[in-house]
Amino acid sequence: MENKYLNILREIKSVSMSTVSSDGMPQARIIDVMLVENQSLYFCTARGKDFYAELLENNMVAVVGMTKNYQMIRLSGKAKHLSEQKLWIDKIFKNNPIMNDVYPGEARYILEPFCINSGSIEYFDISSTPVYREYDSFGNMDSIMKGFEITGDCISCGICAENCPQHCIDSKSKYMIQQQHCLHCGLCYETCPVKAIKRRTKIC
Ligand code: SF4
Ligand code: SF4
C-alpha cells in the first residue's frame, strides 16, 4: 500500500529538502519529487552539485511541502543512492518529461538518482478549525511524537484549558490534551502552576 503522505508530496512536487554540509551548516533547496512508488520517494541531483556531495556524506534529509490548502507535510528520513543510475534516470524522465528541457539528450546522465525509503512524517492542517495533525512513518523508522502531555501531577485547576488558543484540552474525567488538535505552542506548559505538563518523549 502506498503512503498517502508521500503521494501528497508528489502532488505538491516542488518541495524543500534540507541536508547538513560537512561544516555542520544546514542547507536547504527546492527539489522536485520525481516519483513515488513502493513506499519510497524518488528524486535526483547532478554530480557537480554540493547537494550530491552532502547526500553521500550524510544521508539524513528533511523534506517539507505545503498544499494550496495549507496542509503541510514534514518528513525526516534517510536518502539512498540508487545503483542502477541509467534505469532510474530514464524512469524519472519518462514520468517528468519537462526534465528534457533542462537536461536534453545524453546530458541527463550527469544526474544521479536517490530515494527516501524510510522516514517519519508529520501532517499538519492549519486550514481546519481547530488545527489538525497526524503522525506516520514508513520503512524502518518510527513516528516522532512531539508536543506536550499532562501528567499525574495535575491538580485540575483548569488554567491550561482556559489559556489554550485551540481549546483542545479536555476536562471530562481528567485534563488531557487532544493531541491531534494541538498547536505545540507551549502556552499550557508555561502557565501550569505546578509544572504538571511535560514535553512528549521523542520516539514512540
Ligand atoms: S494548568 Fe496544570 S494543574 Fe492546572 S489543569 Fe492544567 S495541567 Fe492540571
Ligand atoms: S501546546 Fe498550545 S495548543 Fe497545545 S494544548 Fe498546550 S496551549 Fe493548547
Side-chain angles (χ1 to χ4, degrees), residues 5-6 8-10 12-19 27-33 41 61-67 70-77 116 120-124 146:
Y5 301 115
L6 295 185
I8 295 174
L9 286 172
R10 168 65 173 156
I12 296 169
K13 194 166 181 191
S14 295
V15 299
S16 168
M17 182 177 287
S18 300
T19 48
Q27 305 289 344
R29 79 284 295 161
I30 300 296
I31 62 131
D32 280 352
V33 177
L41 179 154
V61 294
V63 178
V64 64
M66 190 164 74
T67 70
Y70 302 103
Q71 290 145 344
M72 189 183 68
I73 312 265
R74 296 175 69 189
L75 186 169
S76 297
I116 303 174
S120 64
I121 289 177
E122 185 178 2
Y123 170 83
F124 187 43
K146 299 175 186 167

Side-chain angles (χ1 to χ4, degrees), residues 65-165:
M66 190 164 74
T67 70
K68 286 184 221 138
N69 299 321
Y70 302 103
Q71 290 145 344
M72 189 183 68
I73 312 265
R74 296 175 69 189
L75 186 169
S76 297
K78 292 178 189 165
K80 178 182 169 194
H81 190 197
L82 298 166
S83 56
E84 295 176 289
Q85 185 233 8
K86 289 198 171 178
L87 181 150
W88 283 106
I89 293 301
D90 288 348
K91 192 166 183 175
I92 283 170
F93 273 61
K94 189 173 170 200
N95 283 273
N96 303 271
I98 198 169
M99 288 294 287
N100 286 295
D101 297 343
V102 188
Y103 290 98
E106 294 284 302
R108 67 170 65 177
Y109 298 120
I110 191 66
L111 297 169
E112 292 287 334
F114 288 83
C115 78
I116 303 174
N117 56 9
S118 62
S120 64
I121 289 177
E122 185 178 2
Y123 170 83
F124 187 43
D125 183 354
I126 203 166
S127 69
S128 69
T129 306
V131 299
Y132 181 76
R133 71 169 75 241
E134 280 180 5
Y135 297 97
D136 198 5
S137 64
F138 61 103
N140 59 11
M141 284 184 77
D142 292 324
S143 297
I144 297 175
M145 308 295 244
K146 299 175 186 167
F148 301 88
E149 65 187 352
I150 296 174
T151 69
D153 295 335
C154 172
I155 56 169
S156 300
C157 70
I159 291 174
C160 56
E162 283 163 25
N163 283 303
C164 175

Side-chain angles (χ1 to χ4, degrees), residues 184-195:
H184 297 177
C185 69
L187 195 52
C188 55
Y189 175 76
E190 289 192 2
T191 53
C192 175
V194 294
K195 300 199 182 315

